[in-house]
Amino acid sequence: MDDKTVKQWFGDSFIRFEKSLNGESTSPLHLVRKKGFEKFSMLEFPTHRNEEWKYTSVKPLLNYRFDPNSGIVDISKEDIEKYLYDESIYSTLVFVNGKYYEKLSDLSKLEGKLEIMPLVKAIKSGKDEAINFALEILDKDADIFSSLNTAFMMDGTYIKVNDDAVVDSPIQIIYVTSADKETVTNPRNVFIVGKHASVKLIETYAGLNETPYFTNTFTIVKVDEYGSIEHTKVQDETRNSFHISTLEVNQKRGSHYAGYNVNFGGSLVRNNLNIHLNGKETETTLNGLALSKGTQHIDNHTLINHLEPHCNSHQLYKSILDDSSRIVFNGKIFVKQDAQKTNAFQENKNIILSDSALVNAKPQLEIFADDVKCTHGATVGQLDKDALFYLKSRGFSHKEALATLIYAFASDAVHSIQLPLVRDKLEVILSEKLLTPALS
Amino acid sequence: MLVIKDLKVSIEGKDILKGINLEVNKGEVHAIMGPNGSGKSTLAQVLAGREEYEVTGGEVLFEGKDLLELSTEDRACEGLFLAFQYPIEIPGVSNTNLLKNSLNSIRKYRGEEELDAMEFLTLIKKKMAMVEMPQDLLSRSVNEGFSGGEKKKNEIFQMAVIDPKLAILDETDSGLDIDALRTVAKGVNKIKSEENAIVLVTHYQRLLNYIVPDFVHVLYQGKIIKSGDKTLAHELEERGYDWVIEEYNAKKS
Ligand SMILES: Nc1ncnc2c1ncn2[C@@H]1O[C@H](COP(=O)(O)OP(=O)(O)OP(=O)(O)O)[C@@H](O)[C@H]1O
Ligand SMILES: [Mg+2]
């Protein structure tokens, strides 16, 4: 379909969406959505002529009429079991087709230290931050996908950790799509970490059946002075789905953001991660791990914006490509004039298991301060044949040897995750994926 | 146990092994010696299943089975072990992990129960004592940053844990200091039994003082040109290879 038809489709969907809101259409939330929709209408879907989308075509995505109005369906715990971590320790939020699913959620372990609720509830109960952030984003240069997200903003997770609170229970947030028609969900997350507060959370995105769908998610993270957050995102959508995400992180003085961006699924995936260092002495870890097979296309665009002095950022992006899959990594580091004594490290390492897979890696450094340390590097290689033979000569099957070496290659991108259960599960999913052939 | 008949091997169109014949029986120790580049490692690697080499002729039977038909991992599971001349470094994979996976793969192949954590640990401890393996090497990544001697020791330690029927040791003595050589040899002697067999590839008589071979073979330009008992090794040590080569050339013409 052409641009116009797709936009027409979303326009009609928006009217249907408004009708379904009975009475709510003059609420502050809906006014934000309207602004989002206006912005969406003004923008065009990117083409390869757009520098930021040079290697990633959204054309396949435009072939579908994804419905933003799909209702919630019932799912069982077994459906999401493989994505759940120990519930005696973890707190859980589950969303089905973009809507909060209370039945499988449990927030009882979190009382006292933070506010946590589905975003719509946060907005309705007057949490200004929730709305203000949405507007703030729109005022800035929101792209067509984040505008679409704002237009159809339904649910998502709102977390505000109180100052000085240390949240012991890790928070797992699970977004699943389970629809028999082509569906788009627009999850919107707001994570606010108070001064000297700390929290660990993991977001998982997955699909439960083979109907193509589109996840278009937007996450805002604010880390106040000396606050810290560990934020893992596992994208394990089905092989015929689409996933586009934007992350906006804002760090204040002395804060710590550790982000792990793990991608296993999706046919077409684009993640935009924008980290703004708005205070001195911040620490940022931004790691990525991707495994692509079949004709999967996974694109990670990161930006670390050093605005203030004495900040450290550390990026390690690793991927493993098989079949005719493609990985794009674009890593921008901006060091503004005031950001003296910046330490910025970026490394991108790829392993290609087949002749027809392809990596496009592009570091992009723009440095306007003089007293900075910036290093970057990108490599594309193959698995070490000698190591493979060595393991096999010790009795490892070909697949075990492959999985072992790949895990060894990949693991340092995720080994600093502080949640051992998450690390272990990533290892399990990774070897599972490695040992099953691609579907397409 | 192992019967090699007229084995011919080439790599990238270049003939390297030109008709090897060798028979190794249970309880025997064979030493293979020969000048650099004569094909000793090639033979060892081909037996272990290295795919880059092309077998252009001959056959190899291991315990009556067609060895060349088996995958590398199946050969290991059938009881063949190669101690590498240049052990490979594998960052990110711990020695313990390698051994656990290795043992359990082999046990599974043989229809045996996998070892549980306790049984595994007990076995490891016993074998570490046997070859005097330092504890800290165990938790480190396979061979990563190991000294040359430590790498060789690690090969013998793996051999002790896996307990193969046939072990091929490719220059395990090279790069070892005198004490390490003695420990490694002592370890090998402890592993050696009436039920298994050992093929030693070496350049030095020194090792053969500790591990006494039943047969010594000279490999030259892809062929075994002379075989004898342990006295042949002494003779080679004293006189070098020239006389054997001359003898061989004289016989040929
Ligand atoms: N991958 C390869 N490509 C080309 N030639 C090779 C390759 N591997 C081995 N060769 C050649 O095969 C011959 C035999 O090598 P091999 O390593 O088997 O010798 P060796 O007897 O073990 O020697 P050394 O005593 O030095 O260890 C050498 O000439 C070597 O250069
Ligand atoms: Mg050699």
Side-chain angles (χ1 to χ4, degrees):
Chain A
M1 289 187 287
D2 61 15
D3 217 83
K4 224 169 108 192
T5 319
V6 178
K7 282 167 84 178
Q8 184 63 45
W9 161 254
F10 279 115
D12 296 344
S13 300
F14 194 70
I15 293 167
R16 265 180 286 138
F17 181 48
E18 286 192 306
K19 279 193 187 136
S20 73
L21 294 171
N22 41 24
E24 234 186 78
S25 56
T26 52
S27 69
L29 166 63
H30 198 65
L31 296 178
V32 175
R33 287 185 186 132
K34 273 189 166 148
K35 285 198 172 176
F37 185 73
E38 273 166 34
K39 185 115 194 191
F40 169 79
S41 312
M42 276 152 42
L43 295 167
E44 280 174 9
F45 285 103
T47 66
H48 66 270
R49 283 188 300 275
N50 181 327
E51 191 60 31
E52 295 298 317
W53 293 84
K54 199 169 164 186
Y55 300 113
T56 299
S57 165
V58 298
K59 264 216 173 98
L61 175 75
L62 305 181
N63 284 330
Y64 294 89
R65 289 171 194 274
F66 289 116
D67 190 346
N69 296 310
S70 289
I72 198 161
V73 297
D74 258 319
I75 63 163
S76 69
K77 197 163 164 187
E78 288 75 60
D79 291 330
I80 55 168
E81 193 79 60
K82 70 186 262 212
Y83 299 113
L84 288 174
Y85 301 91
D86 187 351
E87 284 167 288
S88 65
I89 309 169
Y90 281 65
S91 301
T92 311
L93 288 100
V94 177
F95 295 82
V96 178
N97 296 344
K99 297 180 188 68
Y100 185 56
Y101 194 65
E102 197 159 6
K103 209 164 92 186
L104 294 178
S105 302
D106 172 18
L107 302 176
S108 60
K109 284 180 278 299
L110 291 171
E111 272 150 29
K113 294 183 170 171
L114 76 169
E115 296 174 70
I116 180 165
M117 59 191 82
L119 185 73
V120 167
K121 195 171 158 200
I123 292 174
K124 282 184 186 154
S125 55
K127 308 281 176 211
D128 286 345
E129 283 112 330
I131 291 182
N132 290 347
F133 288 176
L135 287 170
E136 194 183 307
I137 295 302
L138 278 179
D139 288 343
K140 280 201 214 150
D141 36 14
D143 72 353
I144 190 162
F145 293 107
S146 54
S147 304
L148 183 71
N149 177 283
T150 304
F152 290 98
M153 192 191 335
M154 238 345 266
D155 237 332
T157 306
Y158 173 84
I159 295 176
K160 188 178 181 193
V161 185
N162 300 339
D163 289 352
D164 302 311
V166 174
V167 182
D168 305 315
S169 169
I171 301 166
Q172 49 182 333
I173 308 169
I174 296 166
Y175 290 97
V176 293
T177 302
S178 175
D180 30 14
K181 65 176 168 202
E182 294 158 6
T183 295
V184 53
T185 64
N186 293 283
R188 164 77 62 122
N189 302 307
V190 176
F191 305 142
I192 304 163
V193 184
K195 293 189 174 77
H196 297 275
S198 88
V199 65
K200 295 185 179 68
L201 55 90
I202 165 160
E203 287 176 76
T204 301
Y205 292 84
L208 298 186
N209 62 29
E210 294 306 314
T211 313
Y213 64 91
F214 171 26
T215 305
N216 180 36
T217 174
F218 196 106
T219 299
I220 297 164
V221 179
K222 300 236 168 186
V223 199
D224 212 334
E225 290 177 8
Y226 303 98
S228 103
I229 179 169
E230 179 177 293
H231 178 198
T232 302
K233 178 184 163 219
V234 179
Q235 181 279 108
D236 193 18
E237 312 273 26
T238 59
R239 284 291 165 77
N240 40 19
S241 67
F242 299 83
H243 181 100
I244 293 184
S245 78
T246 301
L247 169 73
E248 291 284 336
V249 177
N250 226 301
Q251 287 188 248
K252 293 257 183 73
R253 181 177 187 151
S255 65
H256 189 175
Y257 175 82
Y260 300 90
N261 173 22
V262 181
N263 287 278
F264 293 135
S267 68
L268 171 59
V269 176
R270 166 66 174 253
N271 298 303
N272 303 299
L273 302 95
N274 303 314
I275 319 293
H276 306 279
L277 309 181
N278 273 312
K280 295 175 187 170
E281 294 153 11
T282 58
E283 291 284 337
T284 307
T285 300
L286 199 64
N287 286 5
L289 171 60
L291 171 66
S292 64
K293 302 170 79 166
T295 55
Q296 277 183 285
H297 182 113
I298 298 174
D299 175 349
N300 289 307
H301 265 63
T302 68
L303 160 66
I304 302 216
N305 194 5
H306 281 266
L307 298 158
E308 298 269 344
H310 295 281
C311 293
N312 297 327
S313 67
H314 193 280
Q315 285 185 81
L316 178 60
Y317 261 76
K318 289 204 161 179
S319 33
I320 303 115
L321 297 88
D322 202 354
D323 308 318
S324 51
S325 63
R326 189 159 177 187
I327 296 259
V328 179
F329 175 74
N330 190 101
K332 280 191 195 132
I333 298 175
F334 292 166
V335 181
K336 297 290 159 66
Q337 212 157 3
D338 291 337
Q340 299 295 354
K341 305 280 180 197
T342 286
N343 240 320
F345 170 89
Q346 181 189 90
E347 194 175 8
N348 174 225
K349 284 189 164 180
N350 305 281
I351 278 196
I352 292 196
L353 304 176
S354 84
D355 292 336
S356 40
L358 185 63
V359 175
N360 296 106
K362 187 177 164 200
Q364 209 177 321
L365 274 56
E366 290 179 22
I367 299 169
F368 299 101
D370 42 33
D371 186 10
V372 301
K373 236 202 254 161
C374 276
T375 56
H376 68 90
T379 58
V380 180
Q382 283 166 340
L383 271 191
D384 181 354
K385 279 211 181 87
D386 292 332
L388 210 55
F389 176 64
Y390 190 77
L391 291 179
K392 288 199 261 182
S393 81
R394 299 302 183 246
F396 284 58
S397 72
H398 181 72
K399 282 180 169 182
E400 277 170 348
L402 215 59
T404 302
L405 291 180
I406 287 174
Y407 189 72
F409 162 79
S411 62
D412 60 346
V414 292
H415 85 254
S416 53
I417 292 178
Q418 299 292 308
L419 302 169
L421 290 179
V422 173
R423 277 197 319 260
D424 291 352
K425 186 154 292 187
L426 288 178
E427 180 172 7
V428 171
I429 300 181
L430 185 64
S431 34
E432 230 172 56
K433 301 267 167 192
L434 283 169
L435 300 185
T436 49
L439 292 174
S440 49
Chain B
M1 177 173 289
L2 180 75
V3 183
I4 305 176
K5 287 184 202 154
D6 200 28
L7 180 65
K8 291 181 179 146
V9 171
S10 70
I11 188 159
E12 289 164 12
K14 184 175 153 199
D15 294 331
I16 300 189
L17 299 184
K18 299 167 188 162
I20 301 275
N21 291 289
L22 182 68
E23 190 172 335
V24 179
N25 296 304
K26 268 194 332 196
E28 291 177 355
V29 176
H30 290 244
I32 298 181
M33 305 181 78
N36 293 128
S38 58
K40 303 180 296 296
S41 292
T42 303
L43 176 62
Q45 300 261 328
V46 165
L47 292 177
R50 183 97 199 190
E51 278 156 15
E52 283 82 344
Y53 297 101
E54 194 194 342
V55 176
T56 52
E59 66 172 330
V60 181
L61 297 175
F62 181 58
E63 299 273 65
K65 288 188 182 132
D66 183 351
L67 187 76
L68 301 177
E69 281 300 306
L70 298 175
S71 65
T72 300
E73 57 268 33
D74 285 355
R75 295 180 199 197
C77 294
E78 288 285 344
L80 185 106
F81 179 89
L82 169 64
F84 284 58
Q85 180 173 4
Y86 305 107
I88 311 296
E89 299 194 8
I90 313 183
V93 179
S94 76
N95 243 337
T96 322
N97 239 335
L98 171 100
L99 284 169
K100 198 184 285 166
N101 225 315
S102 167
L103 263 181
N104 284 333
S105 298
I106 293 172
R107 294 180 70 93
K108 213 159 76 191
Y109 181 91
R110 296 178 183 164
E112 297 164 9
E113 288 274 312
E114 293 191 6
L115 293 180
D116 66 31
M118 267 315 287
E119 292 167 326
F120 176 72
L121 220 69
T122 315
L123 178 78
I124 291 293
K125 284 227 171 91
K126 191 174 118 195
K127 304 291 178 166
M128 272 172 53
M130 194 164 165
V131 298
E132 298 176 33
M133 174 82 174
Q135 171 83 41
D136 67 305
L137 294 188
L138 201 62
S139 53
R140 278 168 57 183
S141 286
V142 177
N143 295 324
E144 192 189 24
F146 285 26
S147 74
E150 286 170 342
K151 284 181 183 168
K152 297 299 179 76
K153 221 174 207 177
N154 197 24
E155 295 291 287
I156 296 307
F157 171 57
Q158 290 177 20
M159 169 182 164
V161 173
I162 291 171
D163 195 15
K165 289 184 196 151
L166 174 68
I168 304 164
L169 312 186
D170 192 356
E171 292 199 29
T172 302
D173 53 336
S174 303
L176 291 179
D177 65 42
I178 300 158
D179 289 337
L181 179 75
R182 209 174 293 140
T183 357
V184 161
K186 233 162 59 188
V188 173
N189 280 328
K190 281 184 209 156
I191 303 167
K192 198 179 95 180
S193 78
E194 280 309 305
E195 292 307 310
N196 59 27
I198 295 171
V199 176
L200 300 168
V201 174
T202 182
H203 286 293
Y204 308 105
Q205 158 62 29
R206 216 173 45 158
L207 177 72
L208 305 180
N209 287 335
Y210 298 107
I211 311 172
V212 183
D214 302 296
F215 302 93
V216 175
H217 311 278
V218 178
L219 189 63
Y220 173 68
Q221 291 186 348
K223 282 192 156 176
I224 290 179
I225 57 168
K226 192 174 179 70
S227 296
D229 61 12
K230 61 179 179 188
T231 55
L232 176 58
H234 284 284
E235 222 171 330
L236 292 171
E237 181 93 351
E238 267 165 44
R239 300 173 58 194
Y241 290 112
D242 284 353
W243 64 276
V244 189
I245 295 168
E246 273 162 28
E247 204 180 278
Y248 168 71
N249 285 336
K251 219 187 298 168
K252 221 170 43 170
S253 53

